Structure formats: C-alpha cells, structure tokens
Amino acid sequence: MNAFSSILLALLAFALLIPGSASAASVSISKTAETALAKHIAAAPAATKDKLNAQYLALQSYQRQETSLDERYKSLHAGNGQLLDAVNKRIKAIDAEKLARLANEANAAREKYKPLFDLYASLNKRIADARKLKLKELTAVLSRQAETVKVAVQLARAEIRMRDDALKDAKASTAKTVKALKTKLAAIDPLRDQTKVAQSAVSGMKKNLPGIVKTMNACVKSGSFAGTLEALNALVSSSKGIADQKARIVGYENGIAAVINGVNAQIPAK
C-alpha cells in the first residue's frame, strides 16, 4: 500500500511537468520516463524516498510559479503594447485641432488679403511704367492711390504676421510638451533591455535541462537513487533560477506599465 501511495504521489507531482499539461513549464519529461521515475522513487529507501518526494514537490511548485509568471507576462506585455499604441496616438494628437485651426486662420488671412496685395503690386507697376513714360500727372494720381492702399496692406501684413506668430508659438509649445512626454516614455527602453537580459538568462538555463533530464532517466534505469536525487536537485535549482528570472521579467513589465500609465496621465486633455 505504501509503495502504491508513493507511485501515486510521484505521478501526481509530475502531472504538471509533462508538455500536455503545462506547456509553459521548462522541464519536460515523457510519460514513460515519468512512470519509471515514480516506480523508482517508490522503491527507494525511506530516508531517500522522503528527499526525492520533497524535491518532486519543490519542482512542481517552481513549475507552477513559472506557468503563472508566463501567463502574467503575456497578459501584461499585450496590455502594455496596446496602451503604448494608444498613448503614442494621444501624444501625436496633442493640440492637433488647435494647430489646424491656427494654420487655417493664417491661410485664410492670406487668401483674404491676396486681392489687396495684387492691387498694391499692380499700382506700383503702373507707377513705375508711368515714370518711365514721364507721365507726371498719372504718376501723381497713382502714387496717391498707392499710399492709400499701402496703409491697408501694412495692416493686412500685420494681421498675417500675428497669425503666423501665433501658429509658430503654438507649434513650439506643442513640440516642447511632446518632447517631454517622449523623454519620459524613453524610460521604457532600459526596462526592455533588462527584460532581454533576463530572457537570455532563462534561455541559457533551459539549454541545460534536457541533459539533466537525460541523466536522471539514466539514473532511474540503473537504479541509482543518489544519482536521481542529484539530478532532481539540479532540476529544482534550475527551475528556481528560471522562475526567479521570469519574476524579474514580470517586474520589468510592471515597471513599463507604470511608465506608460504615468505618461498617459500627463497628456493634456483636448
């Protein structure tokens, strides 16, 4: 009965380690190897059996942590991507309506006064022509007309200059706001770099796992309880290291979310 219970416990413990039940977990063991390992542990001396079962439970715990962390990271990363896109769109739209209005007003002023400018240019050309022909009276008449129009032209140019300045100042103010927000968003970059470092560490540790599992299977086959325990210890250590790195990755992603949310809250309302 005790042997059967040990086998059942071992099978239950490794149920979360096979690919079909925990695809995100790093340790992968075949059904056949799992069954053989469970029987191997059931046949171990009492003291060794306790250690082996303890490592089973520890490994199972770290594998569950890893699966949970993978799910959290996936959810956070997707959410951050969507929010970052939305924030960038909001930043791009800052003062868009105001700038468009000011640009339209400046363009409208130019169109409005174009006939006046054309008239002034035409009068000046006619004055030049009259002077060439030495038509003094016509030159004098045209000059008086030009002086009258000149006042209106100066006022028109002043209005256009005022509207151009208003547009220029608004663009400068908007650019300053956008630059400040973009600078704050740039705090995401070092967090992404740290994420890549942690992901690289995970990849490095995962490369060792197949060899450890292979060694464990060989120890099970040869009946080496000490070798199996050593392999299990290595798997637990690696799984803990992987879980720790993935916890860091989730932490970095939370940091990215904090940066994005902080910037989002500072974007001026329309």
Side-chain angles (χ1 to χ4, degrees), residues 37 88 234:
L37 179 58
N88 280 324

Side-chain angles (χ1 to χ4, degrees), residues 57-103:
L57 295 176
L59 183 57
Q60 183 182 11
S61 175
Y62 287 126
Q63 293 291 86
R64 281 199 299 265
Q65 286 181 40
E66 186 183 347
T67 301
S68 175
L69 289 166
D70 282 343
E71 292 172 354
R72 286 167 59 190
Y73 170 74
K74 182 179 179 181
S75 177
L76 278 169
H77 187 67
N80 283 342
Q82 293 173 358
L83 182 56
L84 183 58
D85 286 343
V87 166
N88 280 324
K89 286 179 181 178
R90 287 192 66 200
I91 291 175
K92 189 175 181 180
I94 291 174
D95 293 336
E97 293 181 3
K98 177 183 177 180
L99 293 176
R101 175 177 56 79
L102 291 174

